[in-house]
Amino acid sequence: MGKLESRNIEKYFIHDGKPLKTLDGIDLNVEDGEFVCIVGPSGCGKTTFLRIAAGLEKPDEGQILLDNQPLNNTGPDRIMVFQEGALFPWLNVQDNVEYGLKIAGIPKEKRNQISHRYLDMMQLTQFATSYTYQLSTGMKQRVAIARALVMEPDVLLMDEPFAALDAQTRDLLLVEMQLIWQKTKKTIIFVTHNVAEAVMLGTRVLVFTHRPGRIKKEFKIDYKRPRISEDENLLPYQQKILAELRPEVKK
Amino acid sequence: MKPSLLAKKIGFYAMIIIVWQGLDSADIWPDNIFPSPVDVVEDLAYGVADASLFYGIGTSILRLIIGLTIAIAGGLVLGIFMARVETVNQTIGSLVLGLQSIPSIAWVPLAILWFGLTDTGIIFVVVIGAIFAVTINTYTGVKNINPSYIEAARNMGAKEGQLITSILIPAAFPFIISGFKQGWAFAWRGVIGAELLFSFLGLGFLLNVGRQLNDVSQVIAIMLVIMGIGILVDGVVFKKIEDKVMTRWGLR
């Protein structure tokens, strides 16, 4: 029994009037505190799987269990960080970060206290009153991560959150993400198409097949942290994963 | 406003007044048909002196505010319902589009029959004139919301009611504000039009009085007041709100 369990998840989409199988029996057991990265070719259903885990989409077969309880709706126990952040432009940074707490009816003083902690962790304190149009893409993703962490979810679901960042900003956030994970001991499922990113972050990396998505192979990454992108000792891991991934991308 | 732009505008309006005065001095038309700018200003001054002008403006604006407030509240509710419940859109939605094509002035006979020559009748015309513009813009705004906003909010635990106030309305606000602006424009036309026909206080009533007294300068004076209020609301109130919304929502 793991923290989050996926049992035989299948999903179809309607394409040109015909059902198209997108996920083909995803069986996965994520242990408490694990950092699982999913890599796969585009269109392999990795984002769909994450959305099903978040309860934003329903599977056609199978179920998701959290602490052994089957789930069929979305909720703050599994918070999703979206690819483009999905920050609310009408709220400033602090109000964005506090949104989920406010919805939950937590009083203002308590909210401020919690948000300050995470704004500080994400080095956003001086931007607390800024609006999203005043922030760089990297800053926006920091806010999105802070907004997710504030909810103290059981599982953090991250959908290519660093895909739109420049290389320097991404390297910085990849290191910070590891520190946050070590500090908060969160269970994280992280979807990416970038193998180097997966190897830096994951305790385990899953390779999805081309559509319909299945788990082709998984790799344990036992290596000291924080891992940095220049570390050549990570290359053999990347090469092994790429060897599995390459034929799928070409399909 | 840049000084050069301000100079251009002042020059333009000064020219209109000069040409106007010139035409009057040329004595082509009699004064009771074509008054001079001075006559019009004098008429405005009378209106100010005996406060009848302020009373007229106040009456019209009050009707406008009451009508527009009801229209905005109703339009928001209707628009959100249409956007969130497909059946409502398929049924009431088509009716709204049809009703919007009726000019608000065409509701006046019905308003008189239903409510008599009363304030309620005029406000009815204002509401019905403005509500569909607010409805349609709100609907469009809610339909165009980035789905990630709604998903993120639901993911963080927002229930449908919380979703409406904390996400749908603010996220659709750039559209909703256009709806308010259109709604106000329709409401302003509606209130003046209805007052003309109801002939029951307000700026429209003063216009009608001017016509009955053959007082062309009063008619023109009141028209200038109607235009002035329009410019003030459009160019100052709505422009400020729009600028702020567009910037904050990252639309410019």
Side-chain angles (χ1 to χ4, degrees):
Chain A
M1 172 194 143
K3 184 77 185 165
L4 186 119
E5 238 181 296
S6 163
R7 282 195 194 150
N8 189 35
I9 292 287
E10 285 186 16
K11 180 76 185 174
Y12 294 84
F13 281 112
I14 304 295
H15 182 72
D16 281 344
K18 281 183 220 139
L20 181 72
K21 200 170 202 176
T22 310
L23 289 173
D24 185 16
I26 305 293
D27 277 311
L28 175 62
N29 203 346
V30 181
E31 300 295 334
D32 195 15
E34 242 194 314
F35 200 142
V36 174
C37 290
I38 299 176
V39 292
S42 60
C44 73
K46 54 193 192 295
T47 293
T48 305
F49 173 72
L50 205 63
R51 291 172 56 81
I52 289 172
L56 293 170
E57 241 160 274
K58 299 245 181 285
D60 292 307
E61 287 290 334
Q63 57 184 178
I64 301 283
L65 294 94
L66 183 72
D67 293 325
N68 243 6
Q69 296 298 312
L71 299 167
N72 47 23
N73 214 335
T74 191
D77 46 7
R78 291 145 291 146
I79 291 291
M80 177 110 160
V81 177
F82 292 82
Q83 195 171 347
E84 5 63 287
L87 298 178
F88 307 137
W90 57 92
L91 300 178
N92 67 25
V93 167
Q94 181 169 347
D95 290 339
N96 260 289
V97 171
E98 290 181 11
Y99 177 84
L101 304 174
K102 195 172 178 187
I103 284 296
I106 292 167
K108 193 172 172 20
E109 222 160 274
K110 180 85 178 145
R111 286 206 305 265
N112 290 167
Q113 210 182 324
I114 299 171
S115 69
H116 280 150
R117 189 160 80 238
Y118 288 100
L119 286 172
D120 185 50
M121 188 188 285
M122 296 311 296
Q123 295 162 41
L124 289 165
T125 307
Q126 66 185 110
F127 298 98
T129 55
S130 301
Y131 285 86
T132 54
Y133 74 93
Q134 297 165 314
L135 303 177
S136 65
T137 321
M139 277 298 167
K140 284 183 194 166
Q141 287 312 74
R142 283 171 188 274
V143 179
I145 294 167
R147 184 173 75 173
L149 289 173
V150 153
M151 302 306 292
E152 303 196 338
D154 291 324
V155 182
L156 198 56
L157 304 165
M158 307 183 81
D159 182 20
E160 306 205 33
F162 305 146
L165 304 185
D166 63 83
Q168 287 80 6
T169 312
R170 179 186 315 180
D171 281 352
L172 201 66
L173 275 169
L174 284 171
V175 172
E176 278 184 42
M177 201 60 228
Q178 297 176 62
L179 300 175
I180 290 163
W181 172 71
Q182 287 177 312
K183 203 185 295 181
T184 60
K185 301 184 173 65
K186 286 274 165 265
T187 310
I188 302 178
I189 305 179
F190 188 104
V191 160
T192 177
H193 60 262
N194 183 328
V195 173
E197 199 170 281
V199 169
M200 266 180 82
L201 293 176
T203 51
R204 188 152 54 120
V205 177
L206 309 178
V207 178
F208 267 38
T209 61
H210 183 259
R211 189 170 48 231
R214 254 175 287 114
I215 298 174
K216 186 181 188 188
K217 196 145 191 177
E218 61 171 75
F219 299 85
K220 283 248 184 265
I221 318 284
D222 273 322
Y223 193 72
K224 64 177 171 30
R225 289 181 190 269
R227 304 168 187 163
I228 55 168
S229 59
E230 304 90 69
D231 192 337
E232 286 174 4
N233 293 323
L234 292 172
L235 281 176
Y237 291 106
Q238 292 183 25
Q239 279 154 359
K240 268 189 269 175
I241 293 168
L242 272 171
E244 292 295 332
L245 187 58
R246 212 168 271 128
E248 300 303 323
V249 177
K250 283 186 180 148
K251 270 183 196 167
Chain B
M1 212 183 283
K2 279 192 208 144
S4 61
L5 181 60
L6 188 66
K8 257 189 236 174
K9 286 198 171 181
I10 290 174
F12 173 70
Y13 287 105
M15 221 165 67
I16 288 183
I17 292 169
I18 290 166
V19 170
W20 179 1
Q21 183 61 51
L23 282 171
D24 182 70
S25 303
D27 267 338
I28 308 171
W29 304 287
D31 258 1
N32 62 352
I33 288 181
F34 194 85
S36 74
V38 179
D39 294 336
V40 172
V41 171
E42 266 175 14
D43 213 284
L44 280 175
Y46 287 139
V48 170
D50 70 0
S52 64
L53 186 62
F54 298 129
Y55 193 63
I57 293 174
T59 308
S60 293
I61 297 261
L62 185 65
R63 286 166 178 162
L64 176 96
I65 288 173
I66 296 172
L68 195 55
T69 307
I70 298 171
I72 283 174
L76 277 176
V77 172
L78 209 54
I80 290 170
F81 251 104
M82 271 166 56
R84 297 296 286 177
V85 187
E86 196 46 37
T87 311
V88 176
N89 183 36
Q90 287 159 345
T91 53
I92 298 177
S94 59
L95 180 64
V96 165
L97 282 175
L99 290 175
Q100 210 217 355
S101 66
I102 302 177
S104 53
I105 204 80
W107 289 91
V108 169
L110 191 63
I112 293 177
L113 291 173
W114 278 355
F115 303 103
L117 297 173
T118 61
D119 263 330
T120 315
I122 295 174
I123 289 166
F124 171 79
V125 174
V126 174
V127 172
I128 213 90
I131 191 169
F132 304 121
V134 180
T135 305
I136 289 166
N137 279 282
T138 304
Y139 167 80
T140 313
V142 174
K143 275 286 178 193
N144 275 293
I145 293 174
N146 176 354
S148 304
Y149 294 160
I150 298 174
E151 287 185 338
R154 281 182 48 221
N155 184 220
M156 286 185 276
K159 306 274 169 284
E160 186 70 17
Q162 291 171 316
L163 207 57
I164 289 172
T165 50
S166 71
I167 304 291
L168 299 187
I169 293 178
F173 206 67
F175 283 89
I176 291 176
I177 193 71
S178 312
F180 289 177
K181 199 175 163 185
Q182 274 179 33
W184 127 260
F186 285 129
W188 191 224
R189 284 155 181 72
V191 78
I192 302 297
E195 283 171 353
L196 264 171
L197 293 172
F198 277 70
S199 218
F200 173 54
L201 303 177
L203 288 172
F205 166 73
L206 291 178
L207 267 183
N208 216 9
V209 170
R211 181 187 65 81
Q212 283 161 358
L213 299 175
N214 260 336
D215 186 348
V216 180
S217 52
Q218 173 164 341
V219 170
I220 293 174
I222 299 297
M223 285 174 72
L224 287 177
V225 170
I226 294 170
M227 184 175 86
I229 292 171
I231 290 171
L232 204 69
V233 175
D234 263 335
V236 180
V237 180
F238 278 106
K239 196 173 179 319
K240 276 223 172 94
I241 303 175
E242 267 180 333
D243 280 352
K244 193 165 178 181
V245 168
M246 296 300 260
T247 307
R248 183 165 298 174
W249 268 244
L251 297 170
R252 80 158 48 118

